[in-house]
Amino acid sequence: MNADRKSFPLRRLSLPAACALALLAAACSPPPTRPDQTGRGRCDASALGWAVGKPLDEAAGRKLFQQSGAGLWRVVAPDNTFSSDQRDDRLNVRVDASNVVTGVDCG
């Protein structure tokens, strides 16, 4: 019976200690990757010239995205502002005011 009383405080301390260790481990692990931060591959726009001069609709956008191998894509219109950071996994589809593709590049 004496042994049970001595082990009881240890059991009470083990749960908070385990929680503290779990929190410490979670704080040291890298944050989860957001989908908008990481692409699935490297972009290659060399074979996408077919889209220049054509209107950008959903089907054309999907085809460009799939053929490029990029993980991310964005439409760059004359009146938008966008970041100038360079990414190997992002496709840029440049359109004019009429939503006609004027260029396709990676970055």
Side-chain angles (χ1 to χ4, degrees):
M1 188 152 271
N2 227 0
D4 289 336
R5 287 185 184 170
K6 287 181 182 179
S7 65
F8 180 72
L10 292 177
R11 278 190 266 164
R12 281 186 63 189
L13 291 176
S14 64
L15 181 60
C19 290
L21 287 175
L23 287 172
L24 182 62
C28 294
S29 65
T33 305
R34 291 181 7 197
D36 62 338
Q37 291 180 332
T38 306
R40 64 185 166 137
R42 208 172 174 93
C43 176
D44 179 15
S46 60
L48 303 178
W50 60 265
V52 176
K54 295 185 178 183
L56 180 64
D57 57 9
E58 186 176 344
R62 286 178 192 259
K63 188 174 178 182
L64 285 166
F65 181 67
Q66 289 171 348
Q67 289 181 355
S68 71
L72 303 167
W73 73 296
R74 66 179 172 186
V75 177
V76 181
D79 57 346
N80 336 10
T81 57
F82 59 94
S83 65
S84 60
D85 63 319
Q86 293 294 311
R87 295 185 56 137
D88 293 336
D89 62 342
R90 180 173 52 209
L91 174 68
N92 298 311
V93 181
R94 301 183 186 279
V95 297
D96 63 12
S98 302
N99 206 38
V100 174
V101 177
T102 59
V104 182
D105 59 75
C106 297

